[in-house]
Amino acid sequence: MKKRHYTCENCGADLVIDANAESGKCEYCGSVYYIDTQKPAEVHHYFGNVRITPVRIVLAISVVAVLAAAIVILSLYFSGVFGGDQPPVSGKFMHEKAYLYEGTYLVGEDMTAGEFVAFKDPAKERGRVLILTDPKASAGTSACIAEYRFANNEYFTVDDGLYVKVEDCNIFRIGDKTVDATSDGSFEGNTVLRGGTDIPVGNYVIHNEDNNMRYATVKCVIGGKEYKKTLGVRIHLNVGLGDYVYLTVGKLFAEDRAPTPVKGTEDEFLPGQYKVGSDIPSGRYRLDCGNTGTIAWFVHNKSGSAFFGEEEKIKPSTMDGYLDLENGDYIYLYSVELLLADGDK
């Protein structure tokens, strides 16, 4: 039988077709040819089992262009180019109840003035909030009014016209997110607790069993006044609405749930603060300063408040002294130990 010879236009292979056949197929690439004495053979290309045509090529290009445009538009929207009520977000750390995420915001336009709380990104070591007069300023410049770097959470207040720069944290309105207690109902770690928000208003105890932390300082803001108290093995706090406890050491318990105070080897009460009738019984006690008489002091507070001023500190005139304590009193010991007087044990 007579054969016709062609060259495959797709792969260049030798294409042999019967002289009487109306079509042929390349045995190498699968391209199909239609033979017509009036016109040259047609070659059709395939992608898998799909025949490639000009219409299909145009449709594929159109779909890719639409998808690319959608991605660009969404990126511009979330970067804040189109403005609107939605603040720009980074997408790195976004809590579902957060008011603001990472970014820089103008108070009075992007956010309201007032008090807020920031919680750091759990994946980061610290969060940071900068309060600025210039949105392009950084920490350490005259345009930086305040810098907050925090291990867990931090409270801050801002006024209209200032800028708030948020890094590695989320900003919440007061009450939208609070600090969680541990399984035993206490609070611990580097955290700030707000009375009436994170913890109920009431009396609290910071309990400490770590001897290396007995001289650590705990800060409180009570009634707008700042106090710093040396921990010892125990200190008491009277927390009101809007007061703050900056907890860095020990564990914070509600007063009626606090563990028994740690005592010394001779059953003495160690440096710290105690509430008479709650931590220790009322009665006569003996003060023991040991070899620290020059730096030892105590505060006997009968006002019902766990806080005191510097003027209330008393230095024992001798190495030993006696003290009568009544229910409701507070006794704060620094480098002083307290024992029940002989005969009262």
Side-chain angles (χ1 to χ4, degrees), residues 229 272-277 280-285 287 296-316 321-334 336 338:
K229 303 180 75 172
Q273 186 183 38
Y274 304 90
K275 188 174 183 179
V276 183
I280 62 176
S282 60
R284 170 159 286 199
Y285 286 83
L287 297 168
W297 51 265
F298 70 92
V299 177
H300 180 196
N301 194 339
K302 294 177 174 289
S303 67
S305 171
F307 296 91
F308 54 87
E310 289 291 317
E311 70 281 358
E312 297 178 70
K313 293 181 180 180
I314 300 172
K315 288 194 173 184
Y322 289 88
L323 198 63
D324 291 317
L325 301 178
E326 299 177 355
N327 287 340
D329 291 353
Y330 287 96
I331 178 71
Y332 188 105
L333 310 169
Y334 186 85
V336 176
L338 193 70

Side-chain angles (χ1 to χ4, degrees), residues 114-119 153-157 172-180 187 191-202 204 219-222 237-247 252:
E115 186 179 28
F116 298 90
V117 60
F119 282 81
N153 63 302
E154 181 65 70
Y155 285 84
F156 65 95
T157 301
F172 296 83
R173 293 185 177 94
I174 302 300
D176 283 356
K177 181 172 172 56
T178 57
V179 180
D180 295 325
F187 294 87
T191 189
V192 185
L193 302 167
R194 187 177 190 265
T197 303
D198 301 302
I199 55 177
V201 170
Y204 290 85
K219 186 178 80 170
C220 308
V221 178
I222 306 297
L237 310 171
N238 311 126
V239 180
L241 184 64
D243 292 342
Y244 300 90
V245 179
Y246 294 79
L247 185 64
L252 183 80

Side-chain angles (χ1 to χ4, degrees), residues 1-4 6 15-26 30-37 39-44 46:
M1 183 179 290
K2 189 176 179 181
K3 304 285 184 180
R4 300 184 198 182
Y6 299 92
L15 182 66
V16 180
I17 302 176
D18 293 341
N20 297 325
E22 296 181 354
S23 65
K25 183 177 181 181
C26 179
S31 297
V32 178
Y33 293 78
Y34 294 92
I35 309 302
D36 190 333
T37 57
K39 59 182 179 180
E42 296 180 352
V43 179
H44 301 286
Y46 288 79

